[in-house]
Amino acid sequence: MSVTIRPAQTADIEAMMAAERSAAELFRPLPQWAFIADDAIMSAAQHAALIAEESEWLAQDGAAVAGFIVVRRHGDEWHIAELSVAAEHQRRGIGRQLIVAVADCASRQGVRQLTLTTFRNVPWNAPYYRRLGFETIPTVELSARLRAQMASEAEHGLPLGSRCAMKFTLL
């Protein structure tokens, strides 16, 4: 079946929440990060607000929601706040397709780069994004916004040394 990338709609919220929960389960076998499998996911209200802002896209595989991506817009930079692909849909290029769709949309709007924060050593995190062309941003080069994002993540139990910020230059 072919995957379709499209803007998310309110009717998709429950399925996107299930996809995020499924993706989080992949952390369970990693002792250091197993708590993520039981951690809170985005609420229905958060999804609804993102949909209203036109900041959320989903990957649809037939009738199933295979995954989704969320961006936060900061002028000429978009931050990928969430990328989740349901466990049963992983390793099929769906995450890449979601990123390409967002990058295409961002480029058409004059956005110069995409950023994200992620785990340095989880195989489907920083190593994956590197394969897609993202570059790690050295700590000394972090913008105030990315510094604040990483500090917030640390406050929520994700040690700074375990995380990194990355960028993908569009223009």
Side-chain angles (χ1 to χ4, degrees), residues 16-86:
M16 288 187 298
M17 292 173 73
E20 184 178 3
R21 176 62 59 212
S22 172
E25 281 296 321
L26 296 174
F27 285 91
R28 195 170 299 283
L30 304 175
Q32 184 178 10
W33 307 119
F35 73 92
I36 292 171
D38 298 317
D39 212 0
I41 60 171
M42 287 179 21
S43 70
Q46 288 171 307
H47 280 286
L50 291 161
I51 290 166
E53 295 170 7
E54 298 178 349
S55 294
E56 190 165 16
W57 293 260
L58 65 78
Q60 188 168 348
D61 186 0
V65 171
F68 66 93
I69 190 169
V70 172
V71 299
R72 303 253 186 237
R73 297 167 189 202
H74 303 280
D76 65 351
E77 178 180 297
W78 284 8
H79 183 76
I80 298 173
E82 180 72 35
L83 174 62
S84 287
V85 176

Side-chain angles (χ1 to χ4, degrees), residues 91 96 122-135 166 168:
R91 304 192 62 79
R96 177 187 302 267
V122 174
W124 60 91
N125 280 200
Y128 168 76
Y129 293 115
R130 265 190 226 88
R131 289 192 303 274
L132 297 181
F134 282 80
E135 301 172 45
M166 303 182 85
F168 183 86

